[in-house]
Amino acid sequence: MSTSSFIVNLFILKDILSTINILCQMLQEKNATLGKAAILIKGVLQTFENDKSTLAFNNLWLEIQDFAKDYNINFNVPFQTQRLKQIKREPNRLIDFVLTTATGAEEPNEVDNATAEHYFRVNAYFKVLDSIIVNMKKRFCTESLEMAESIDNFFKLNIEKSKFFIDHYKDLLDVNCYNLKSEITVVKNYLTLTTGKDDISLEDLKTFIVKNVYPNIYKLLQVALTLPISSATCERSFSAMRRIKTWMRSTMVENRFNDLSILNIEKDLAKKINNNDIVNAFSNKNRYIVLK
């Protein structure tokens, strides 16, 4: 790879990864919801589709040219001076015909006539964007995004917009849709009268929903709360376990290992613990050993 190609690809990746980083940070947040994640994913996809234009690359190309000017780097089209190994020609049987569609034939000077900006726009920038868009749409399919938005609406007790989620799990969880509608109506009215606001928070649902009184909402709420946005939390837990139990701590017993893992994984809660309270609680215990 030439110096010019390396620099152009570096700028392209910097521009694209800065957008992807926003999505990565969002998916790793502990308080992120499926609905917010789905909206952000759609926004990132729309951003990439809008960036797949000549105008967007022109702005990036100006930055690349400024960088090249500062460091005296010349941009040339790769393989411009090399002759193509095999040039596709029109078949002889089509010589006497007027062609209205492309047949895959190439001009001998196709590469030689291309400018550096055109070459990198077509062969680098657009190709990378197309690959990312295709893979993101494959990773975050329409059904998954619809399910995420439906679950987020279920937390708001919007039965119409959460129908996709309800229909998907109603047979598996044996949910009675008629009773569910009544339960949602009662809960919404009660929370509105109690809290004095129309917005329903997740904490209100966890406090008020009782299994015996609202069995259908309770079943769906259990599923909705257990569906993770990403596997980042699980991966962080395994990484913490690897850092705790090293080869120098191979004799650590299971109870101690579990306690240290919880303290490390839930470090946000552990930092709020007052050390003086722990010392006082330990000092107040009866530490005498009863000998038999």
Side-chain angles (χ1 to χ4, degrees):
M1 180 183 292
S2 63
T3 304
S4 58
S5 298
F6 176 77
I7 292 173
V8 172
N9 290 327
L10 205 61
F11 269 85
I12 291 173
L13 290 177
K14 176 188 174 183
D15 184 64
I16 293 174
L17 292 178
S18 61
T19 304
I20 294 180
N21 183 58
I22 299 173
L23 179 60
C24 292
Q25 296 297 328
M26 169 65 179
L27 294 178
Q28 295 180 31
E29 287 290 329
K30 291 184 177 180
N31 58 351
T33 62
L34 288 169
K36 293 179 180 179
I39 295 173
L40 184 60
I41 290 169
K42 290 181 179 179
V44 171
L45 279 171
Q46 187 63 44
T47 301
F48 286 143
E49 290 176 352
N50 294 338
D51 288 343
K52 199 175 65 173
S53 63
T54 304
L55 179 61
F57 181 77
N58 288 343
N59 297 331
L60 181 63
W61 185 252
L62 292 176
E63 297 180 14
I64 297 173
Q65 284 183 322
D66 292 338
F67 180 85
K69 185 178 180 180
D70 294 338
Y71 293 93
N72 297 323
I73 300 173
N74 296 323
F75 284 97
N76 297 318
V77 179
F79 314 113
Q80 190 173 24
T81 59
Q82 296 183 10
R83 184 178 180 84
L84 295 176
K85 294 182 179 180
Q86 184 177 2
I87 300 175
K88 296 180 181 179
R89 303 282 188 181
E90 297 289 0
N92 293 330
R93 56 187 175 83
L94 299 178
I95 293 178
D96 298 329
F97 293 88
V98 177
L99 301 178
T100 58
T101 58
T103 61
E106 297 176 352
E107 294 293 335
N109 58 349
E110 181 181 0
V111 177
D112 293 337
N113 293 336
T115 61
E117 180 181 356
H118 176 270
Y119 176 85
F120 287 115
R121 181 175 69 246
V122 175
N123 294 281
Y125 185 69
F126 286 168
K127 283 188 176 181
V128 173
L129 278 178
D130 286 337
S131 177
I132 290 177
I133 291 172
V134 169
N135 282 280
M136 283 192 66
K137 287 183 178 180
K138 187 183 297 183
R139 174 65 179 84
F140 306 104
C141 61
T142 306
E143 184 179 355
S144 299
L145 296 178
E146 187 177 357
M147 176 63 74
E149 292 180 353
S150 181
I151 291 175
D152 203 51
N153 285 309
F154 179 76
F155 289 142
K156 301 174 184 177
L157 297 182
N158 190 329
I159 192 170
E160 295 297 331
K161 294 184 178 181
S162 60
K163 191 174 181 181
F164 185 83
F165 167 65
I166 296 172
D167 292 341
H168 189 80
Y169 287 101
K170 65 180 182 181
D171 295 332
L172 179 64
L173 301 176
D174 192 21
V175 174
N176 190 317
C177 294
Y178 296 102
N179 294 339
L180 176 65
K181 187 175 181 180
S182 301
E183 292 175 10
I184 289 178
T185 304
V186 172
V187 172
K188 288 176 67 176
N189 293 334
Y190 177 83
L191 291 177
T192 302
L193 294 173
T194 305
T195 60
K197 55 184 180 180
D198 296 331
D199 296 334
I200 300 173
S201 65
L202 184 58
E203 295 299 326
D204 295 334
L205 291 178
K206 291 191 293 184
T207 304
F208 182 70
I209 300 300
V210 182
K211 182 178 181 180
N212 297 331
V213 183
Y214 309 100
N216 296 289
I217 297 180
Y218 187 86
K219 293 176 185 177
L220 292 171
L221 190 61
Q222 277 188 315
V223 175
L225 290 174
T226 53
L227 290 177
I229 296 178
S230 66
S231 59
T233 304
C234 301
E235 292 172 0
R236 280 197 293 262
S237 301
F238 281 106
S239 299
M241 294 167 63
R242 180 67 180 272
R243 290 193 299 269
I244 293 171
K245 192 167 185 178
T246 61
W247 63 274
M248 297 182 66
R249 296 175 176 174
S250 58
T251 58
M252 184 187 301
V253 295
E254 184 177 355
N255 291 336
R256 179 178 175 82
F257 179 58
N258 291 337
D259 295 340
L260 291 176
S261 299
I262 292 174
L263 287 174
N264 188 280
I265 294 169
E266 303 295 341
K267 61 180 68 176
D268 295 337
L269 297 176
K271 290 179 180 178
K272 298 179 181 179
I273 299 176
N274 191 347
N275 294 332
N276 293 328
D277 295 338
I278 299 175
V279 173
N280 293 333
F282 182 76
S283 62
N284 293 330
K285 285 186 177 181
N286 185 6
R287 291 177 290 162
Y288 290 103
I289 301 175
V290 179
L291 300 177
K292 295 182 180 180

